[in-house]
Amino acid sequence: MKKLLYLFASTAIFISACTTNAVTGRKQLSLISEDALQQQAVSQYRSFLSQNRVVSDASSRDAEMVRRVGSRIANAITKYYSTKGLGRELEGYKWEFNLVDNKDVNAWCMPGGKVVVYTGLLPVAQNEAALAIVLAHEITHAVAHHGQERISQAMLAQGIAVGGNLFTSGNSQANNIFNNIYGPAVTVGALLPNSRNQELEADRYGLIFAAMAGYNPREAIPFWTRMAKKGGAKPPPFLSTHPTDEQRIRKLNTYMNEALSYYKPVNSR
Ligand SMILES: [Zn+2]
């Protein structure tokens, strides 16, 4: 009976806590507010930066490039959302882009626009347009509420109660979920694939945002091919719903014409 009640309760939560994503139109589970997530992100981001060597703009053209590419992508996304009347979706976003000295092939974006690129990603990216492809992909995961969705799914699976400030210092379970989803504590050290739906959304909208920012979306094909060869972006074994490398490239090609319709090259490269 207890089990049955739990099932009813969780089903009710599931139904009432589904929101329709304003951009993708897909229904997503959201048991936690975007505000709470952004607050947690700020504190985790600060703590991550304090524990890693941040490469300064003054000492590195790469750090400068990361900031330039990131800002252009952020501007493109802001423009895309406001054109669609969805400007409020990005409320609370205070963008930050930092390059950290770390040989892992990795980059991530937390809710609220807190972005990190690892120096180990740059030799695989090889050029600014490919860096734009991967940054636009990672940022799309954040603005499309993919983290919120994954945290909600994990909360439901682990039976974590909803409400109040979830990420209090005493709630190690909730804090662990956050840290496992956003790179800092992840030991895999590589771009971590999300679910299949989320990956395809990040690929599709990422291409559009990179193109709007002035970067050639076609660079996505050689970039993801390099990543596949590198053995990066491989999911941990428990994630079986991710797209394979071949599926990803095939899908990227089907998204290409749509992205190219947004593409206005900038002259600076
Ligand atoms: Zn992804």
Side-chain angles (χ1 to χ4, degrees):
M1 186 62 189
K2 213 173 165 192
K3 225 174 185 178
L4 202 64
L5 276 177
Y6 177 73
L7 188 71
F8 274 131
S10 46
T11 310
I13 289 171
F14 193 84
I15 292 167
S16 65
C18 267
T19 54
T20 302
N21 189 285
V23 169
T24 65
R26 188 166 60 82
K27 286 231 186 309
Q28 293 173 304
L29 183 65
S30 65
L31 298 179
I32 176 167
S33 75
E34 177 69 19
D35 269 7
L37 263 188
Q38 291 189 9
Q39 273 179 37
Q40 173 74 354
V42 169
S43 103
Q44 293 298 319
Y45 191 68
R46 294 281 161 263
S47 135
F48 177 84
L49 292 181
S50 72
Q51 290 161 29
N52 288 269
R53 199 178 81 79
V54 177
V55 184
S56 77
D57 280 26
S59 70
S60 155
R61 298 190 66 167
D62 285 341
E64 215 183 352
M65 173 174 72
V66 164
R67 224 172 292 274
R68 175 174 63 243
V69 173
S71 308
R72 282 180 181 164
I73 303 280
N75 289 342
I77 290 175
T78 306
K79 192 171 158 199
Y80 183 92
Y81 274 67
S82 67
T83 309
K84 300 216 177 284
L86 300 170
R88 284 191 55 202
E89 284 280 311
L90 299 176
E91 253 173 27
Y93 266 71
K94 294 190 181 65
W95 299 96
E96 281 186 56
F97 309 94
N98 282 293
L99 178 67
V100 298
D101 192 9
N102 185 315
K103 61 178 174 22
D104 289 342
V105 183
N106 203 0
W108 41 258
C109 174
M110 288 180 180
K114 307 300 189 212
V115 179
V116 158
V117 173
Y118 294 47
T119 46
L121 177 69
L122 300 179
V124 187
Q126 290 183 6
N127 58 64
E128 188 164 331
L131 177 65
I133 297 293
V134 65
L135 274 187
H137 175 100
E138 293 303 322
I139 293 173
T140 301
H141 279 313
V143 297
H145 302 299
H146 289 169
Q148 191 175 29
E149 185 177 18
R150 292 176 66 199
I151 286 175
S152 302
Q153 287 162 348
M155 282 166 63
L156 193 65
Q158 297 181 25
I160 296 180
V162 186
N165 181 5
L166 186 71
F167 300 112
T168 51
S169 56
N171 196 342
S172 58
Q173 217 180 354
N175 283 294
N176 284 344
I177 291 176
F178 185 95
N179 288 331
N180 281 326
I181 285 173
Y182 295 103
V186 171
T187 50
V188 177
L191 299 175
L192 205 54
N194 300 344
S195 75
R196 184 188 161 82
N197 271 342
Q198 294 186 340
E199 281 307 304
L200 296 179
E201 280 171 11
D203 279 342
R204 179 181 165 198
Y205 290 95
L207 280 193
I208 292 174
F209 300 146
M212 284 179 76
Y215 297 101
N216 191 342
R218 293 185 192 90
E219 284 295 330
I221 309 298
F223 169 72
W224 285 110
T225 307
R226 285 196 292 280
M227 281 296 285
K229 283 200 184 120
K230 181 90 192 149
K234 287 285 183 294
F238 61 86
L239 259 184
S240 57
T241 52
H242 70 289
T244 64
D245 295 329
E246 304 84 70
Q247 281 171 330
R248 157 165 274 149
I249 306 269
R250 204 167 53 237
K251 274 290 191 182
L252 281 167
N253 277 313
T254 68
Y255 299 146
M256 202 54 75
N257 279 342
E258 179 189 29
L260 284 167
S261 70
Y262 289 90
Y263 177 41
K264 286 190 196 68
V266 280
N267 300 324
S268 63
R269 86 209 107 241

